[in-house]
Amino acid sequence: MQLIYKIEFNTTNLYFKYIIETLINEAQISASCKQYKDFILIIFNDQEKNIENFFLLLEKKLPMSIFISNSYVVDSYDETLEEIENFNIKQNLTLLTNDSIVKIIRENQIDFFNDIEKIKNGGVSRFETHNGLKKLFLPNKIKREEFENKGYEVKLLITDVTKLDELFDLNMRDFQLLCSIERPLIKLKFKPLKNANKEFSSTKFIYAKIPDDKETVLFAKALKENGFNYLLYVNDDVYQDGLKVTYNKEQNIIISGNKGLFPKYDFVSRKKFNSSKEYFNEFGGVYKATLAQSAKRLEPSVGVYFSSTTKSSSISLNIPTKGQKEVIVIPNIRNSITNCFDEISAIDEHCSRLITNFIRKYPEVVSAIVPTNAKGFESIVNICAKVLGLNSAKEFEDLALDTNLKSGIQIDMKLIKVNKLNVLDYRKTVQSMMSYKMANVDNQTLAYSFYESLSEFICNYSDEIAKEIKAKDIVLCGNMFANSILLSKTLKTLSKNYNIILPIEYPLDY
């Protein structure tokens, strides 16, 4: 019996094919595995019973992957397609299948006594992994804040996945992504009262992952045996940042990171790239790279690149004969509350009175310190956060995400001409939030409404530009779209009339 099974697989890296080939050998079935751009084929030529047994084996032993979107039986395939070769690219990825984890634990005996004692006593263990050095410590608000004040992102290492539902409101999709072969970082929400003292995080959310290499598997086993089901950690000196992944109904979305994704052979440019930065720079930015991947460079399109980590957020258009042009630009503002208030006061008398009254009611806001290294959207959101009495853009976003609101209030998102450029007038946005704050609108509604109004801003102007250039495609990229409010509302509106393109094989951002 011949049967062809197709797995839609959105990367050209070959590690998943190798896992399938290992299972084919284990089952001693007459089958072959071929990988092409965007999919993997398993081609069977064996008895029906043997094929059925192999699918049972796949169900038991084939791990999840963030790059799998669907799988099904097909009647045939185009045999003229170019099969992906091994381009001698070595991934920084340990293939932690269940069998390999058992083997690692069985064949290795390492004494972690000193590290565990240090952690037990409230200290920090500097632990060397396959990907470099990490510092691990028990959940503790003071220690966490010390690291965050030094610029570290504090994340969670889960040593016992069976204890996850004690700590988090977890759905099956979260669990599957956490346990996928790529071992990405997933943003999880704490159960009520589980982070009451903010020992884990300053918000109700944290990026978490399970062990992703041999060293961490062994250390996690020892930690679990000593009653530590999770630890906080920071990257001290690592080779590659781990993948951060989110999702919507249609697809998994890589937000950022390189580990397990790069180095990578790109079939569009026919060359190897060692990092997302190298890849995006090759094409001249995330928008252009996404057009190249989706074969849309020769068609008119609108591109929305909104980022909290770069200075170049904009809404642009691409016309094949003329190239890319920025139509609306997000400003890079001074990271200063005082400067922001001065700029708002200069708008008109009404705004000047608002600033005076706001300072009278909330005098502590004037002295709030805004991180000086922020840029683009992060700077704007930081200012909005400080106006609401919150500490950071992270707290602002997580407050917005922690709500069941379906709609909010209108936050002003208006344009102003600066040197002949259409620029988002961030002053109006902040002023709008201050006015609502003066009217005692709660912070959660305001934070949610910011992202909802930003979505409306994107939809209105993208639609206007697309109609003008007769574009059918709109590209959404940049890590601002990792926010589920912004992404879901933008998709809901624009997908009614346009083909929406999100990066699939590569991250949203640098």
Side-chain angles (χ1 to χ4, degrees), residues 14 33 42 90 163 241 395:
L14 291 165
C33 185
I42 308 176
K90 186 173 176 59
K163 306 295 184 183
D241 288 331
E395 289 190 19

Side-chain angles (χ1 to χ4, degrees), residues 333-478:
I333 65 172
R334 284 180 59 187
N335 293 299
S336 164
I337 288 288
T338 303
N339 181 75
C340 174
F341 282 8
D342 287 345
E343 290 189 346
I344 293 172
S345 293
I347 296 174
D348 56 34
E349 289 184 10
H350 167 75
C351 291
S352 181
R353 284 196 301 272
L354 172 66
I355 293 297
T356 300
N357 293 333
F358 191 88
I359 292 173
R360 188 178 296 125
K361 188 172 182 179
Y362 303 104
E364 69 282 357
V365 172
V366 182
S367 57
I369 298 173
V370 182
T372 56
N373 60 344
K375 54 182 81 81
F377 262 110
E378 186 179 10
S379 296
I380 295 171
V381 179
N382 272 333
I383 294 287
C384 291
K386 296 296 183 179
V387 163
L388 300 189
L390 303 173
N391 289 321
S392 65
K394 177 180 182 292
E395 289 190 19
F396 182 92
E397 179 180 18
D398 286 354
L399 183 65
L401 294 172
D402 184 34
T403 178
N404 294 318
L405 285 173
K406 300 300 180 186
S407 63
I409 53 181
Q410 186 66 50
I411 304 296
D412 287 346
M413 303 272 178
K414 299 184 182 299
L415 296 179
I416 187 173
K417 283 281 186 181
V418 178
N419 297 326
K420 298 183 180 180
L421 284 175
N422 297 307
V423 179
L424 173 67
D425 190 351
Y426 91 100
R427 304 171 306 165
K428 289 286 190 178
T429 302
V430 178
Q431 177 236 327
S432 178
M433 299 195 76
M434 293 172 71
S435 297
Y436 284 122
K437 180 75 173 175
M438 289 291 288
N440 297 319
V441 177
D442 66 278
N443 284 352
Q444 195 159 46
T445 297
L446 289 172
Y448 175 91
S449 299
F450 173 88
Y451 292 102
E452 182 182 59
S453 297
L454 184 58
S455 171
E456 292 174 5
F457 174 85
I458 291 168
C459 293
N460 291 339
Y461 284 108
S462 295
D463 180 55
E464 183 180 320
I465 297 165
K467 284 177 178 174
E468 185 175 332
I469 64 172
K470 295 180 172 56
K472 297 179 181 178
D473 302 306
I474 296 178
V475 174
L476 304 179
C477 51

